[in-house]
């Protein structure tokens, strides 16, 4: 008996392999197209999210700068006359109810 050589093994392997080995067919094409579409949608979504990010995450850029005055007089706001009444009216509800009449007022 002789030992099979590499050439004999290749010939035997080619004879046993079916003809469809190495061909993807329509299912492989469909899978490839679906993966490409999913990748395109992911890239589009990622660019949208990246556009919403701030340019810098430094604390100095995010917080507004607070100016502290040198004297306590600078802490008080100068208000015009009637400004307190206007602020109170702005915070009040928009619907104003009419005065209610009691039973004693009707009679």
């Amino acid at each position: 008996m002789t030992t099979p050589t590499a050439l004999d093994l290749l010939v035997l392997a080619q004879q046993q392999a079916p003809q469809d080995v190495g061909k993807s067919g329509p299912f492989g094409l469909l899978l490839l197209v679906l993966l490409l579409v999913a990748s395109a949608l992911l890239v589009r979504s990622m660019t949208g999210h990246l556009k919403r990010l701030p340019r810098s995450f430094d604390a100095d850029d995010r917080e507004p700068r607070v100016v502290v005055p040198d004297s306590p007089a600078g802490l008080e706001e100068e208000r015009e006359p009637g400004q307190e009444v206007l602020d109170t009216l702005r915070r009040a509800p928009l619907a104003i109810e009419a005065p209610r009449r009691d039973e004693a007022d009707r009679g």
Side-chain angles (χ1 to χ4, degrees):
M1 256 199 172
T2 63
T3 59
T5 62
L7 184 60
D8 292 335
L9 291 175
L10 285 175
V11 170
L12 287 173
Q14 285 181 353
Q15 289 175 355
Q16 292 177 354
Q19 293 179 352
D20 291 339
V21 171
K23 297 181 181 178
S24 62
F27 181 71
L29 179 64
L30 176 69
L31 186 63
L32 181 67
V33 169
L34 287 176
L35 287 174
L36 288 174
V37 168
S39 297
L41 290 174
L42 285 172
V43 166
R44 183 177 176 194
S45 174
M46 183 72 68
T47 55
H49 284 288
L50 287 175
K51 286 180 182 178
R52 291 186 206 130
L53 287 176
R55 292 199 179 271
S56 173
F57 287 104
D58 292 336
D60 296 336
D61 294 340
R62 285 186 284 162
E63 297 175 6
R65 296 201 178 255
V66 178
V67 178
V68 179
D70 293 334
S71 66
L75 293 174
E76 296 178 7
E77 294 180 10
E78 294 181 22
R79 299 187 74 134
E80 296 179 14
Q83 188 66 32
E84 186 175 328
V85 174
L86 287 175
D87 289 341
T88 305
L89 289 175
R90 286 188 187 118
R91 287 188 296 246
L94 296 179
I96 299 174
E97 295 181 14
R100 296 183 184 173
R101 294 186 181 180
D102 293 337
E103 293 292 326
D105 292 341
R106 290 187 190 175

